[in-house]
Amino acid sequence: MESMQNILIVGAGFAGSVCARELAEVGHKVLVVDRRDHSAGNAFDLKDEHGILIHQYGPHIFHTNSERIFNYLSKYTEWYQYEHRVRGVVDGKEYPFPINRDTLNQLYSLDLDEKGAADFFEKVREPRELVKTSEDVVLNSVGRDLYEKFFLNYTKKQWGLDPSQLKAGVAARIPTRTNTNDRYFTDTFQAMPLHGYAVMFENLLNHPNIEVQLSTEFKDVLNSSREFDHIVYTGPIDAFYDFKFGHLPYRSLRFEHEHLADQEWYQSVGTVNYPNDFEFTRITEFKHLTGQQATSTSIVREYPTAEGDPYYPIPRDENEILFKKYKVLADQEERVTFVGRLAEYRYYNMDQVVGAALNAVDKILERK
Ligand code: FAD
Ligand code: UDP
């Protein structure tokens, strides 16, 4: 793309906002629309009425192995150094999660060293020749007892499916460790935007070539008199095509936010997972993530649902087949680029969306 073009971007989350900035930087005029009344997509954060910085759509912890992506976002935010830690509750007691040597020692009253932990996993694992499903992944690495204690019911709650119905990649997000490392993520870079995601997005979108229209539907812009040379679409791909091949399933969540006025802290770490108890999957206490000091605290419980805003693509073969039908159409579009978690139907983390958006911009700019 050589001369200045008018570009419409649908969605002001990571995918849309990174594309907007990169296209604006090289001289194109960009209109970003989002049906929500804020930018930042699902990473949106705000101060609640008690002044605690919370994440409206559940806990978002930035982590990446890519120095390029970390440096890219560092142009728009400073960082608060934070390493996420999670504990899983089994029979009313909290254990380090992902499963590590301390988890084994505490759960089974053992005193294993690193080699002992490796031998333990070797003894209990149910080896699988082909690791195709999330059930295969977990049984193959930690065996049935740990599978049932930490994974089976959490996964059933989160997805409404048995682990055997989900692709391996879902459970493969969680490592198994023979050491005592209790960081949730293994990535080199882990940090939170110092002033929050919403501020980072304001900086990202603050450019003379970018216009942002919130509370605005894509179809309303299409039906208006404005003309665009190119569209970057980051919403659900099935909606773009009016569900002509049927609905792609996306998993949703209901977030129950709560402020606890009379206590400084609710729990010992950022997130506590409840694989076997309650209807919710996990509780997150935001002050752990953000480093904010306050005498009261705010938490969120996540209740998985089938209905509601689309949050997670559901990685399984039949959904992939349906997605591919839409992708055939998408690949034929000369004037529309599809990028992001909903448009590509990929279980992307935030850093992966930034990477996908930077690549998408390169492709758009290569076009004549
Ligand atoms: P989105 O953020 O979904 O943005 C798409 C935007 O498009 C939305 O704002 C939507 O309103 C808008 N839109 C859609 N259709 C239309 C339309 N027709 N008209 C107008 N606007 C439209 N990632 C991590 O790296 N670390 C984490 O800790 C983490 N935690 C997560 C926790 C939860 C509960 C969830 C749901 C996700 C989490 N993620 C995490 C993933 C992260 O949220 C995504 O990778 C990222 O936000 C996706 O960005 P996106 O721009 O592709 O999509
Ligand atoms: N998982 C589980 N038990 C847990 C945590 C995770 O079974 O205590 C499984 C579950 O299937 C979940 C997947 O691992 O959906 C990925 O977990 P992650 O924490 O990465 O999910 P996200 O933060 O994306 O919701």
Side-chain angles (χ1 to χ4, degrees), residues 273-343:
N273 289 355
Y274 291 88
N276 303 307
D277 313 301
F278 311 115
E279 297 286 301
F280 51 84
T281 48
R282 57 188 180 188
I283 300 181
T284 295
E285 183 172 19
F286 292 107
K287 288 199 305 174
H288 286 288
L289 279 52
T290 59
Q292 189 177 358
Q293 309 278 326
T295 52
S296 61
T297 195
S298 293
I299 60 172
V300 65
R301 296 181 177 83
E302 294 173 52
Y303 293 84
T305 61
E307 304 300 322
D309 279 357
Y311 292 134
Y312 292 83
I314 305 177
R316 51 189 314 213
D317 287 338
E318 61 200 72
N319 300 347
E320 193 62 24
I321 290 167
L322 180 53
F323 167 70
K324 288 254 165 69
K325 288 171 87 171
Y326 285 112
K327 182 146 189 336
V328 168
L329 297 184
D331 287 344
Q332 288 163 11
E333 303 279 357
E334 297 207 335
R335 292 176 52 240
V336 188
T337 297
F338 293 79
V339 58
R341 177 145 145 151
L342 305 171

Side-chain angles (χ1 to χ4, degrees), residues 10 33 216-224 233 239-242:
V10 182
V33 300
T216 302
E217 261 299 324
F218 168 46
K219 294 262 155 87
D220 294 338
V221 183
L222 268 195
N223 295 333
S224 72
Y233 178 84
F240 184 91
Y241 289 109
D242 293 322

Side-chain angles (χ1 to χ4, degrees), residues 10-17 33-36 38-43 57-63 84 173 185 197 216-219 233-236 239 253 255 282 302 310-312 339-343 346-353:
V10 182
F14 271 97
S17 301
V33 300
D34 201 300
R35 56 160 64 119
R36 290 169 166 168
H38 59 74
S39 59
N42 287 335
Y57 306 99
H60 279 71
I61 300 107
F62 186 78
H63 57 99
H84 196 44
R173 291 168 62 86
F185 304 111
Y197 289 96
T216 302
E217 261 299 324
F218 168 46
K219 294 262 155 87
Y233 178 84
T234 76
L253 296 168
F255 300 102
R282 57 188 180 188
E302 294 173 52
Y311 292 134
Y312 292 83
V339 58
R341 177 145 145 151
L342 305 171
R346 286 279 164 273
Y347 191 173
Y348 278 148
N349 294 320
M350 295 181 279
D351 64 319
Q352 294 169 308
V353 176

Side-chain angles (χ1 to χ4, degrees), residues 18 30 63 66 69 71 81 92 96 103 117 124 134 169 197 224 245 257 260 273 295 307 343 357 368:
V18 169
V30 184
H63 57 99
S66 164
I69 289 169
N71 287 343
Q81 292 308 319
T103 316
V124 297
S134 281
Y197 289 96
S224 72
F245 301 129
H257 287 273
L260 304 160
N273 289 355
T295 52
E307 304 300 322
K368 282 272 151 84

Side-chain angles (χ1 to χ4, degrees), residues 59 61 63 84 86-89 97-98 134 138 147 149-156 158-159 163 166 169-174 184-185 253 272-275 281-282 302 312 341 347-349:
I61 300 107
H63 57 99
H84 196 44
V86 173
R87 299 175 73 80
V89 176
F97 189 85
S134 281
V138 182
Y147 169 72
K149 284 186 160 71
F150 288 96
F151 289 91
L152 176 60
N153 293 314
Y154 186 103
T155 302
K156 280 185 171 169
Q158 170 71 12
W159 301 97
L166 283 163
V170 176
R173 291 168 62 86
I174 312 291
Y184 198 62
F185 304 111
L253 296 168
V272 176
N273 289 355
Y274 291 88
T281 48
R282 57 188 180 188
E302 294 173 52
Y312 292 83
R341 177 145 145 151
Y347 191 173
Y348 278 148
N349 294 320

Side-chain angles (χ1 to χ4, degrees), residues 153-220:
N153 293 314
Y154 186 103
T155 302
K156 280 185 171 169
K157 271 197 272 190
Q158 170 71 12
W159 301 97
L161 295 168
D162 191 87
S164 62
Q165 298 171 294
L166 283 163
K167 292 185 97 153
V170 176
R173 291 168 62 86
I174 312 291
T176 305
R177 300 183 178 129
T178 52
N179 58 25
T180 57
N181 181 355
D182 65 348
R183 301 193 321 164
Y184 198 62
F185 304 111
T186 30
D187 304 49
T188 320
F189 301 95
Q190 288 187 54
M192 301 291 286
L194 185 62
H195 304 292
Y197 289 96
V199 173
M200 181 175 82
F201 274 79
E202 268 169 38
N203 295 335
L204 197 51
L205 291 167
N206 180 12
H207 188 282
N209 287 346
I210 301 179
E211 181 189 350
V212 181
Q213 276 182 17
L214 300 175
S215 307
T216 302
E217 261 299 324
F218 168 46
K219 294 262 155 87
D220 294 338

